[in-house]
């Protein structure tokens, strides 16, 4: 069963989301997309099918969209993302177990969440982007606005988010996060720069693994299956 909902934020926006449910499941996976991403990306759609078959409900949402009353990327920062993720996590009080799974910039967003609900059992990072200075280098100022350039697109981002990328303190924030590190798991892609953060997250006591010959989005043949399997193995321990 697929349901569509809207969650109002405290500052007047709406978060629009999709819940795929087995109806009797008491376990929920929340997928969180990365920078300039969306809940419709292939790894979330395929992940939805995979985890539903394992008897998990799956929740997907957009941190920003072009829809009416939703945030736009220019309205956002990592701090605001973290607040929205916390609100969504606290919304699902009827589930016995919740698992937070996020790609790329979702990692720094998880690190900034102030408090996780008691039913949040584990957190999984998919190739977390704890180093964003390279992304900041692709930004430029035009008419007092900050724009991000990638693949021929020029996307407006907030000055606050740009500053967060330049400050690049996400690993320090993660280290200070009070959620138990032994309930976190990082899956790194062998073919992406973010693997350079693995020694730092390992030193914090966060278990990790590497998927070889994978890019940042795990789009090579067979890599989704490996990504989902490693995620499932960790959350079911």
């Amino acid at each position: 069963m697929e349901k569509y909902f809207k969650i109002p934020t405290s500052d007047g926006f709406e978060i629009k989301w999709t819940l795929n449910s087995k109806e009797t499941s008491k376990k929920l996976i929340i997928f969180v997309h990365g920078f300039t991403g969306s809940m419709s990306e292939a790894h979330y759609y395929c992940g939805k099918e995979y985890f539903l078959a394992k008897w998990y409900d799956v929740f997907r949402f957009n941190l920003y969209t072009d829809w009416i009353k939703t945030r736009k990327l220019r309205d956002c920062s990592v701090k605001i993302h973290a607040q929205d993720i916390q609100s969504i996590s606290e919304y699902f009080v009827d589930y016995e177990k919740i698992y937070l799974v996020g790609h790329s910039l979702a990692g720094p967003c998880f690190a900034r969440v102030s408090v996780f609900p008691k039913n949040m059992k584990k957190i999984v990072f998919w190739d977390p982007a704890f180093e964003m200075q390279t992304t900041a280098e692709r930004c430029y100022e035009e008419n007092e606005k900050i724009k991000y350039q990638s693949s021929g697109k020029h996307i407006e981002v907030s000055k606050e988010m740009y500053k967060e990328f330049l400050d690049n303190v996400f690993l320090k924030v993660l280290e200070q996060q009070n959620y138990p590190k032994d309930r976190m798991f990082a899956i790194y892609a062998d073919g992406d720069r973010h693997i350079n953060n693995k020694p730092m997250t390992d030193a914090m006591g966060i278990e990790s693994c590497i998927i070889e010959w994978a890019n940042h989005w795990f789009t090579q043949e067979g890599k989704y299956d490996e990504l989902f399997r490693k995620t499932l193995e960790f959350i079911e321990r």
Side-chain angles (χ1 to χ4, degrees):
M1 178 182 295
E2 187 165 276
K3 300 178 182 178
Y4 303 93
F5 298 87
K6 295 182 291 186
I7 299 178
T9 68
S10 60
D11 54 352
F13 292 98
E14 291 179 346
I15 299 171
K16 297 186 177 182
W17 49 273
T18 302
L19 177 67
N20 295 94
S21 173
K22 287 288 188 180
E23 293 189 338
T24 58
S25 177
K26 289 296 183 180
K27 300 180 294 184
L28 176 69
I29 289 177
I30 299 175
F31 283 138
V32 182
H33 66 77
F35 182 56
T36 73
S38 80
M39 71 180 193
S40 300
E41 291 176 281
H43 38 294
Y44 308 122
Y45 186 84
C46 295
K48 178 252 302 185
E49 297 295 324
Y50 180 92
F51 287 102
L52 278 173
K54 304 297 182 182
W55 221 256
Y56 287 80
D57 287 0
V58 178
F59 171 77
R60 295 171 295 142
F61 71 102
N62 287 316
L63 289 163
Y64 40 82
T65 73
D66 291 329
W67 300 337
I68 296 172
K69 294 186 178 180
T70 62
R71 296 190 198 280
K72 310 302 182 279
L73 182 53
R74 62 179 178 269
D75 302 316
C76 296
S77 65
V78 172
K79 180 180 179 180
I80 289 173
H81 285 342
Q83 292 170 351
D84 288 345
I85 292 167
Q86 180 172 335
S87 296
I88 288 169
S89 300
E90 292 171 346
Y91 183 84
F92 293 103
V93 295
D94 293 333
Y95 283 91
E96 293 177 0
K97 298 178 180 180
I98 298 178
Y99 304 94
L100 198 57
V101 179
H103 177 244
S104 194
L105 188 63
C109 297
F110 294 170
R112 286 294 304 266
V113 173
S114 298
V115 180
F116 289 103
K118 292 182 179 180
N119 58 347
M120 181 65 68
K121 297 303 179 183
K122 291 183 178 178
I123 294 175
V124 180
F125 306 103
W126 287 352
D127 206 33
F130 292 116
E131 183 280 306
M132 292 298 290
Q133 283 184 324
T134 302
T135 302
E137 291 171 2
R138 297 178 184 172
C139 295
Y140 63 95
E141 186 170 352
E142 181 181 78
N143 298 326
E144 299 185 353
K145 297 178 180 179
I146 302 297
K147 293 190 176 181
Y148 168 72
Q149 180 177 356
S150 178
S151 302
K153 297 180 180 180
H154 299 260
I155 305 168
E156 185 180 351
V157 300
S158 71
K159 292 182 179 180
E160 182 178 357
M161 179 174 280
Y162 176 58
K163 184 177 184 302
E164 290 172 325
F165 289 175
L166 287 175
D167 290 345
N168 202 40
V169 295
F170 298 128
L171 281 168
K172 182 177 181 180
V173 173
L174 177 64
E175 188 174 19
Q176 296 171 345
Q177 168 61 251
N178 58 13
Y179 189 85
K181 301 297 190 295
D182 60 355
R183 287 160 59 185
M184 295 180 175
F185 183 52
I187 303 175
Y188 287 100
D190 181 46
D192 189 77
R193 74 178 190 274
H194 298 301
I195 195 174
N196 295 327
N197 293 313
K198 186 178 184 299
M200 283 75 85
T201 56
D202 286 351
M204 296 179 202
I206 298 173
E207 184 180 348
S208 67
C209 71
I210 298 171
I211 295 183
E212 296 184 354
W213 302 104
N215 63 20
H216 184 52
W217 298 272
F218 302 93
T219 52
Q220 291 88 348
E221 184 176 358
K223 301 308 176 186
Y224 282 166
D225 288 340
E226 190 173 354
L227 178 67
F228 303 152
R229 186 178 69 253
K230 289 180 180 296
T231 300
L232 183 66
E233 289 172 353
F234 176 73
I235 66 177
E236 290 199 335
R237 287 182 199 166

